[in-house]
Amino acid sequence: MMVHYLYSDTGAFSDHHEHGAHSDAYSFSFEGDWAGLLLLLLCIGVYVAAALTTNRHHRSWPLHRYLSWTAGILCVMLSVAGPLARNSHQSFQNHMLVHLLLGMLAPILIAYAKPVTLLLRALPVPSARKLSRLFRSKAVHMIVHPWVAAIWNTGGMWLLYMTDLFQLTHQYRLLYAIIHFHLFAAGYLFTISILYIDLTSRRHSFRNRAITLILAAAGHSILSKAIYAYPPVGVPREAAEQGGMLMYYGGGAVELVLMFALCAHWFKSVSPSPRSKKVLHRSGIS
């Protein structure tokens, strides 16, 4: 007989045997999630419409950005609506999968879609200039500073899993929504603070960003081991061990992608441009 975990009335995980009454919870259905699904599909529609509209006056928006935005929104969709989102209340492993999709993978995909750049292209010139000044402000610069973004991202996860906050999120819907919004927002801010994919307020050195990324990855890895050894309140040890392993290996894979992308950006910045190569070749240096 299969065993899975359900939240008790106090918001904690408890052991229950699977009966027919619980089998519907694992059916692949989005019933009751139509409002959220429509909102997320609207995000895809607005993005595509904005890109196609701006193509009339600017360079054609690359296809890979459409795909990146769509994939990122789909990751968000799977995290907040449908069977995986519902089962995350019953299974800590599913919750951790939501954590990886919403807090790590979706931010990277959406960042590579360059939504801020597209927004500035779509706005009237006066509005775009005002928004650009806002992005260059000291307040925004502080928010997207690599160290600050790393604290919001990794520190927030430590606070979630190493305190009673994780248990409370499954007792209060508003807190649950706030935590999930923070999970995505912190992941997105951390991504754009490390990889200057989209427009940013101020650029920091590759060394600073590399050190920040390494320390943040170490903090994430240590947290996954802490979850494995010291399960969050209300989570059975077996479920915590499996969730911790998923966080360790899944999160590590995403962090490797970030490291590879950062190294690729650094290599591109120090490599001579095609024009410089031609000059060097003509001068006999290369």
Side-chain angles (χ1 to χ4, degrees):
M1 184 176 293
M2 179 179 272
V3 177
H4 66 285
Y5 302 100
L6 297 175
Y7 284 105
S8 65
D9 293 337
T10 61
F13 281 101
S14 59
D15 294 348
H16 285 271
H17 293 291
E18 184 175 16
H19 298 290
H22 300 313
S23 61
D24 292 340
Y26 289 86
S27 61
F28 194 82
S29 170
F30 286 92
E31 183 180 356
D33 298 317
W34 294 115
L37 289 174
L38 288 175
L39 179 60
L40 293 170
L41 291 174
L42 180 63
C43 290
I44 296 177
V46 169
Y47 182 92
V48 172
L52 294 176
T53 301
T54 58
N55 285 345
R56 303 172 185 173
H57 308 288
H58 302 274
R59 285 192 307 172
S60 180
W61 198 245
L63 176 61
H64 69 268
R65 292 182 188 164
Y66 293 96
L67 298 177
S68 185
W69 177 264
T70 302
I73 294 298
L74 288 177
C75 287
V76 175
M77 185 182 300
L78 291 173
S79 302
V80 301
L84 179 62
R86 288 195 298 272
N87 294 343
S88 67
H89 295 276
Q90 305 163 341
S91 165
F92 186 68
Q93 298 92 314
N94 286 342
H95 163 81
M96 195 55 68
L97 184 56
V98 167
H99 159 86
L100 294 174
L101 287 174
L102 186 63
M104 301 190 75
L105 186 56
I108 295 178
L109 291 169
I110 290 178
Y112 267 101
K114 293 192 173 183
V116 176
T117 300
L118 180 59
L119 176 61
L120 292 176
R121 280 179 28 137
L123 288 174
V125 174
S127 299
R129 288 176 177 171
K130 291 180 181 179
L131 188 59
S132 296
R133 286 196 295 269
L134 175 62
F135 288 147
R136 292 194 297 267
S137 65
K138 291 183 179 180
V140 173
H141 170 62
M142 178 61 66
I143 293 174
V144 297
H145 190 284
W147 290 102
V148 175
I151 292 173
W152 277 106
N153 188 35
T154 307
M157 287 187 288
W158 273 88
L159 184 64
L160 174 63
Y161 294 114
M162 293 293 103
T163 67
D164 293 339
L165 186 60
F166 175 74
Q167 186 180 23
L168 293 175
T169 59
H170 296 279
Q171 297 183 40
Y172 303 99
R173 290 187 176 182
L174 179 60
L175 181 60
Y176 179 85
I178 292 173
I179 291 297
H180 277 64
F181 174 78
H182 174 271
L183 187 64
F184 170 77
Y188 177 78
L189 290 175
F190 179 69
T191 300
I192 63 174
S193 73
I194 298 297
L195 304 178
Y196 293 146
I197 306 168
D198 213 344
L199 296 179
T200 185
S201 59
R202 192 179 303 175
R203 293 180 176 269
H204 296 271
S205 67
F206 281 100
R207 178 182 296 179
N208 186 5
R209 288 179 283 153
I211 293 174
T212 304
L213 178 56
I214 291 171
L215 292 178
H220 192 265
S221 176
I222 294 172
L223 175 60
S224 65
K225 294 177 181 179
I227 291 174
Y228 187 97
Y230 306 101
V233 177
V235 179
R237 175 164 295 277
E238 182 181 357
E241 291 175 352
Q242 295 175 359
M245 291 177 63
L246 180 60
M247 181 180 182
Y248 180 83
Y249 290 107
V254 177
E255 286 159 354
L256 282 176
V257 172
L258 279 174
M259 292 178 184
F260 177 81
L262 181 61
C263 291
H265 290 181
W266 171 80
F267 182 78
K268 184 178 179 180
S269 69
V270 298
S271 299
S273 63
R275 185 176 180 180
S276 299
K277 290 180 179 179
K278 290 182 180 179
V279 173
L280 292 175
H281 179 72
R282 290 173 182 175
S283 62
I285 297 178
S286 59

